[in-house]
Amino acid sequence: MIGNWLIYAAAFEKAIDNKDWTQVIQCFHPQATYIRNSDDERLRTPKVTGNKNIAANFETSVEQFDRRFTSRNIRNVKLACTGDFDLKHHFQIIYKADGLPDFEFSGFEDYVFDEQGLIVSLEESLDPGVGTKLIEFLMQHGAKL
């Protein structure tokens, strides 16, 4: 499953650069689901169903958040297979913007793949406190982004 995740991760990073989410869509089962959990209600995502809807959700998130920063640096990626078709991914991303303090975004993603290697479920959980810190950061610095 790590190989399938690497294909997805590369497609995601490529989509951030070229704004073409087609390869991301192809990594998900047509009826896949996605949800984001956070300690701050405003950052929770209700269940999204369907590969095209998931990619559209990611695209919106990137446009409204990631692109407001000058750089996005992935750090400390840890992967672990937790079953035949399950994978857990811990991530840490450092966002930078000129004249502002860095913002660290971290959490876990739980993936379930099918026999063909497509993602059928993705549940993202922000680390405790990250959601609250993000809202505080945006309230304090959002106008400068």
Side-chain angles (χ1 to χ4, degrees):
M1 291 304 104
I2 290 177
N4 297 88
W5 181 85
L6 290 170
I7 291 168
Y8 160 71
F12 188 91
E13 294 303 315
K14 186 176 177 182
I16 288 175
D17 290 339
N18 69 12
K19 299 182 181 185
D20 180 358
W21 293 86
T22 305
Q23 290 180 344
V24 171
I25 292 168
Q26 295 169 354
C27 292
F28 284 87
H29 185 278
Q31 296 304 314
T33 60
Y34 166 76
I35 190 166
R36 180 190 313 124
N37 302 304
S38 171
D39 57 354
D40 190 296
E41 184 73 31
R42 294 168 284 187
L43 297 177
R44 290 186 188 150
T45 301
K47 186 192 289 188
V48 178
T49 302
N51 56 357
K52 292 177 183 172
N53 294 331
I54 292 169
N57 179 277
F58 293 162
E59 182 176 18
T60 298
S61 179
V62 166
E63 290 300 322
Q64 292 178 352
F65 183 72
D66 299 67
R67 292 199 195 288
R68 296 174 70 181
F69 292 86
T70 54
S71 71
R72 174 183 169 276
N73 301 302
I74 300 171
R75 308 250 171 100
N76 296 332
V77 172
K78 296 177 185 171
L79 297 173
C81 291
T82 57
D84 289 343
F85 298 104
D86 303 327
L87 183 136
K88 188 172 201 94
H89 168 230
H90 178 259
F91 62 90
Q92 177 189 27
I93 304 171
I94 307 296
Y95 289 91
K96 296 179 180 278
D98 296 336
L100 297 179
D102 294 352
F103 183 77
E104 180 181 320
F105 191 77
S106 59
F108 289 89
E109 295 173 323
D110 291 305
Y111 293 83
V112 177
F113 292 84
D114 67 10
E115 297 82 14
Q116 287 76 42
L118 296 176
I119 301 166
V120 295
S121 173
L122 169 52
E123 183 172 351
E124 178 181 0
S125 299
L126 302 183
D127 283 339
V130 169
T132 301
K133 288 177 187 173
L134 174 58
I135 296 299
E136 290 171 359
F137 181 91
L138 291 174
M139 289 176 67
Q140 184 175 2
H141 304 292
K144 298 176 186 171
L145 290 173

